[in-house]
Amino acid sequence: YGQIKHATVKLQSLARGYLVREWYVKTRSAIVALQTYCRGYLARKHYCQVKAAVVLQALARGYIARRQFNRERSAIIYLQAHTRGYLARKKFASVKLAVVKAQALARGFIARRYYQETRVAVIKCQALVRGLIARRWFTRARAATLKLQSLARGYLARRHYGQVRCALVKLQSLVRGFLARRLYAKIRSVVTIQALVRGYQARKHYSGIKASTIVLQAYTRGDLARKQYVRDRTSVGTSQAVVRGFLARRRFTRAKAAVLTIQKYTRGCQARRYYRKMKAATTIQAYTRGYLARQ
């Protein structure tokens, strides 16, 4: 009977060890596959953010180059206008004595020309104001569109995170239920073994009681070690998920701050360029009025 019992215990130990190893291999494979999916998703998301930043940099550099060209062109036109005005005034001074008798005709001509120039200036001012209103409306619409895009992307990211979290919670629930059922089956088999052992103890001596107690202690310690290993592995997986989520949110926050800074810089450059154009138009009007007043 002792040999049969020993062989039975040995077979049970081998079978349980095989089942535990098989469950460990399957669980580890599932966790590795889940980690691979999460890391791939984070890598693709980071690549999309970096690509958007590169496109924004290209746009900003093109805008700076165009602004420099427009500044140089405006300066050249301004110098040409002053040179031509100086030459015109010099010519007028040289022929002033010869056109004294034609002042009446000249004054009429100047009055008509002043009216035409005033009309052209008014039309240009109207065009500038209308363009300003149109650009302001476009800027507001673009800002609203960007805001809606940001809200939509945040909503999609939060929904995906909720789906992944629900899937993980469900997977944890299934694994814990499986472990609980298996533990219950083990406990039930232990109760049966205890009944048999007690009957055997009633028929045998103190040595049999001692041997069975040692076997039971070894089984209990092995079961406690396996449960402790499962708890430690579950807590490590949860900690990894929390840390990776924090890193992903921090990268997204930094990329968003960089994009907002570039937008702010670009809008400031547009406002300053428009202010310089208006200032140049005001200067030209002042020179023209001074010239007409001197006439």
Side-chain angles (χ1 to χ4, degrees):
Y1 177 78
Q3 292 178 355
I4 293 172
K5 182 188 177 185
H6 181 72
T8 303
V9 172
K10 186 67 175 178
L11 288 174
Q12 287 180 349
S13 177
L14 292 175
R16 289 169 182 165
Y18 170 76
L19 292 175
V20 169
R21 285 191 296 274
E22 186 179 1
W23 172 81
Y24 170 75
V25 170
K26 291 181 180 179
T27 305
R28 185 174 181 273
S29 299
I31 292 173
V32 169
L34 185 60
Q35 287 178 349
T36 302
Y37 174 75
C38 293
R39 288 171 182 169
Y41 170 74
L42 293 176
R44 288 190 296 274
K45 186 175 180 181
H46 178 67
Y47 171 76
C48 292
Q49 293 174 356
V50 171
K51 185 177 180 182
V54 170
V55 173
L56 288 176
Q57 285 179 353
L59 292 176
R61 290 171 182 170
Y63 169 74
I64 292 172
R66 288 191 297 274
R67 186 185 63 180
Q68 184 65 27
F69 170 76
N70 291 329
R71 287 180 178 177
E72 293 175 356
R73 183 172 178 271
S74 299
I76 292 171
I77 292 172
Y78 184 76
L79 289 174
Q80 287 179 349
H82 274 277
T83 303
R84 290 171 181 172
Y86 169 75
L87 293 175
R89 287 191 296 274
K90 187 175 180 180
K91 184 177 180 180
F92 174 77
S94 64
V95 299
K96 183 177 180 181
L97 296 176
V99 296
V100 172
K101 295 180 180 180
Q103 282 183 350
L105 295 175
R107 288 172 182 172
F109 170 74
I110 292 172
R112 289 190 297 273
R113 186 174 65 181
Y114 175 75
Y115 170 75
Q116 292 176 356
E117 290 178 352
T118 304
R119 184 172 179 272
V120 172
V122 170
I123 292 173
K124 289 183 178 180
C125 290
Q126 288 179 348
L128 290 174
V129 172
R130 290 171 182 172
L132 175 63
I133 294 172
R135 287 191 294 273
R136 184 179 297 173
W137 177 84
F138 172 75
T139 302
R140 291 178 180 176
R142 186 171 181 271
T145 303
L146 292 175
K147 185 67 175 178
L148 290 175
Q149 286 180 349
S150 176
L151 292 175
R153 289 171 182 169
Y155 169 74
L156 293 175
R158 287 192 295 274
R159 186 177 66 179
H160 182 266
Y161 170 76
Q163 291 176 354
V164 174
R165 184 173 181 273
C166 291
L168 290 176
V169 171
K170 189 173 182 179
L171 182 61
Q172 287 179 350
S173 176
L174 292 175
V175 173
R176 288 172 181 171
F178 170 75
L179 294 176
R181 288 191 295 274
R182 191 177 65 177
L183 180 61
Y184 173 75
K186 289 180 179 180
I187 293 173
R188 186 174 180 182
S189 62
V190 170
V191 171
T192 305
I193 293 172
Q194 285 179 352
L196 295 174
V197 170
R198 287 173 184 171
Y200 177 76
Q201 288 174 352
R203 294 185 298 271
K204 295 295 179 178
H205 196 260
Y206 174 76
S207 60
I209 298 173
K210 185 177 180 181
S212 63
T213 303
I214 291 172
V215 172
L216 186 60
Q217 285 180 350
Y219 172 77
T220 304
R221 288 171 183 171
D223 183 70
L224 291 175
R226 286 190 294 274
K227 288 194 293 185
Q228 183 64 31
Y229 170 77
V230 172
R231 285 196 295 269
D232 293 340
R233 185 171 181 84
T234 304
S235 62
V236 169
T238 304
S239 301
Q240 287 179 349
V242 171
V243 171
R244 287 170 183 166
F246 170 75
L247 293 176
R249 288 190 294 274
R250 187 174 62 182
R251 284 196 297 269
F252 175 74
T253 303
R254 290 179 178 176
K256 184 179 179 182
V259 171
L260 291 176
T261 303
I262 292 173
Q263 288 181 348
K264 180 179 178 181
Y265 176 77
T266 303
R267 291 170 182 170
C269 290
Q270 291 177 353
R272 287 190 294 274
R273 185 175 65 180
Y274 177 74
Y275 171 75
R276 283 192 293 270
K277 288 182 179 179
M278 294 297 294
K279 186 175 181 181
T282 304
T283 304
I284 292 172
Q285 287 181 354
Y287 274 101
T288 304
R289 290 172 182 170
Y291 170 76
L292 294 176
R294 287 191 297 274
Q295 296 301 323

